[in-house]
Amino acid sequence: MKPNIKNIAVLTSGGDAPGMNAAIRAVIRTGIYHGINMFGVMQGYQGLITNNIKPMDARSVSNILHLGGTILKTARCLEFKTDEGQEIAYQNLKLNDIDGLVVIGGDGTFTGAKRFGEKYGVKVIGIPGTIDNDLGGSDFTLGYDTAINTVIEAIDKIRDTADAHDRLFFIEVMGRDSGCIALRSSIASGAEAVLLPEIETSVDELIEKLTLGAATKKSSSIVIVAEGHKQGGAYDIARKVKETFDHYDTKVTILGHLQRGGSPSSFDRILGSRLGYAAVNALIAGESAQMVGLRGNDIKLTSIEEALSDHSYKLENDLMEMTDVLSI
């Protein structure tokens, strides 16, 4: 395959996700394999504006496959949202003679990449790196699997103390707009109930379910609350439930940024490697404004615009039904 592109830069932006380093490694080494000069942009779009762009070789990405976070660092950059900021970023790309850009991140990252690419004609390929799994065009986003495993491990430990003390635990997980982590975690951990941003669930409905469980002699209950639930976070829900339902000693655990860290799972290491490899090949083939994603077991291209569209289909209907059936 003869490259039609000479210099490629890669950056990570927005929230970090386990598996980003696997993707960075694959991007750098795939490009070098094809004779392309490779660059890393430090601290995301901020690095484009400050010209914090450095050449990278195959050894630059040694021994990072197993690491969480991102060796390129990441930052949220308000300046990149402005015309002035994007102009500076473009001039720095020209200064370094970069003619292809791989961006790894979530919806904010892709929104910036779409506008930047359209405005300046920069060839951009996106890799979906977000634990929330809230992008279209890929069944799984980078970091999602690891985050779920982290949540399940924490809930398993909480279940031990909940059973020992007849406790009702409300566990808040990440997901401001997406209930993907909450839904899958609820099935895998055997939670009694799950509250999702996409579904209106009243406190009365939750209390009815908990009352039924208490009547059938459940020794404890776990309720998983996505942080973006319309009735409030775990503390808000717990307070409302406690006012009318005092069968259990009620406790709240906020897992927070614990979910972002840790060594990526084997799934995310392989996914990151596949997506990084595919992103460079897409640039070589002349593609732009596309995202590489996993569909079934195949890597496919989806326009960045489509990737930013509705992703509610990711709440699988059978899992939704199972939350009620299996928690009786």
Side-chain angles (χ1 to χ4, degrees):
M1 184 183 296
K2 183 176 178 58
N4 59 2
I5 199 162
K6 302 299 182 183
N7 303 288
I8 293 176
V10 57
L11 63 81
T12 52
S13 177
D16 61 295
M20 280 184 166
N21 284 325
I24 293 167
R25 174 178 178 268
V27 167
I28 297 300
R29 291 190 171 178
T30 302
I32 291 170
Y33 178 86
H34 289 295
I36 298 169
N37 300 312
M38 301 302 297
F39 297 82
V41 182
M42 302 302 295
Q43 295 187 315
Y45 292 128
Q46 186 67 43
L48 284 184
I49 292 173
T50 60
N51 197 26
N52 195 355
I53 302 170
K54 62 179 185 178
M56 299 187 76
D57 59 24
R59 300 290 79 80
S60 300
V61 291
S62 296
N63 300 318
I64 67 169
L65 191 62
H66 64 292
L67 299 178
T70 162
I71 64 164
L72 295 179
K73 309 300 182 182
T74 181
R76 302 190 188 277
C77 182
L78 295 178
E79 190 176 358
F80 189 73
K81 295 181 178 181
T82 68
D83 291 337
E84 296 78 8
Q86 291 207 351
E87 176 64 27
I88 294 171
Y90 176 62
Q91 293 303 325
N92 284 330
L93 284 184
K94 287 178 62 179
L95 181 66
N96 290 277
D97 201 26
I98 291 167
D99 46 13
L101 185 64
V102 176
V103 299
I104 308 171
D107 56 357
T109 301
F110 281 15
T111 299
K114 179 176 180 292
R115 180 168 174 247
F116 189 55
E118 290 173 347
K119 186 173 183 179
Y120 294 103
V122 177
K123 291 184 178 180
V124 181
I125 297 293
I127 293 177
T130 166
I131 66 170
D132 291 329
N133 202 37
D134 59 349
L135 287 168
S138 188
D139 297 339
F140 296 91
T141 58
L142 205 51
Y144 176 50
D145 182 71
T146 304
I148 292 172
N149 288 332
T150 299
V151 170
I152 292 167
E153 183 179 355
I155 294 174
D156 287 348
K157 290 177 169 61
I158 289 170
R159 175 77 74 178
D160 291 342
T161 188
D163 283 343
H165 296 278
D166 279 352
R167 283 176 173 161
L168 168 59
F169 266 91
F170 291 87
I171 302 172
E172 185 175 298
V173 302
M174 283 185 167
R176 186 177 64 244
D177 301 306
S178 169
C180 289
I181 291 177
L183 178 59
R184 287 205 166 218
S185 298
S186 71
I187 297 296
S189 64
E192 278 65 38
V194 58
L195 304 180
L196 310 171
E198 298 91 341
I199 306 296
E200 288 285 351
T201 304
S202 70
V203 174
D204 288 341
E205 289 176 289
L206 176 59
I207 290 174
E208 181 180 352
K209 190 167 190 176
L210 294 173
T211 301
L212 180 61
T216 55
K217 304 189 184 308
K218 282 203 172 193
S219 61
S220 66
S221 286
I222 301 286
V223 177
I224 298 179
V225 183
E227 63 179 323
H229 186 257
K230 301 299 186 292
Q231 297 288 328
Y235 277 109
D236 298 315
I237 300 296
R239 176 180 51 79
K240 293 173 183 177
V241 169
K242 184 66 175 176
E243 289 173 357
T244 57
F245 185 79
D246 58 2
H247 179 81
Y248 296 119
D249 181 19
T250 302
K251 301 293 182 183
V252 175
T253 297
I254 310 293
L255 294 184
H257 284 77
L258 174 73
Q259 297 156 84
R260 287 199 185 280
S263 182
S265 65
S266 61
F267 181 90
D268 277 326
R269 296 183 198 195
I270 295 168
L271 179 61
S273 299
R274 293 182 75 183
L275 295 178
Y277 170 80
V280 173
N281 286 334
L283 282 173
I284 291 173
E287 298 287 353
S288 185
Q290 301 287 313
M291 183 196 79
V292 289
L294 182 70
R295 290 286 188 95
N297 195 37
D298 296 319
I299 302 298
K300 296 185 179 296
L301 292 175
T302 301
S303 72
I304 289 179
E305 183 174 4
E306 183 180 341
L308 290 167
S309 64
D310 181 46
H311 58 266
S312 59
Y313 70 90
K314 291 193 172 182
L315 295 181
E316 299 94 330
N317 290 331
D318 60 333
L319 295 189
M320 296 290 294
E321 294 171 1
M322 287 162 60
T323 59
D324 290 325
V325 174
L326 301 185
S327 62
I328 61 173

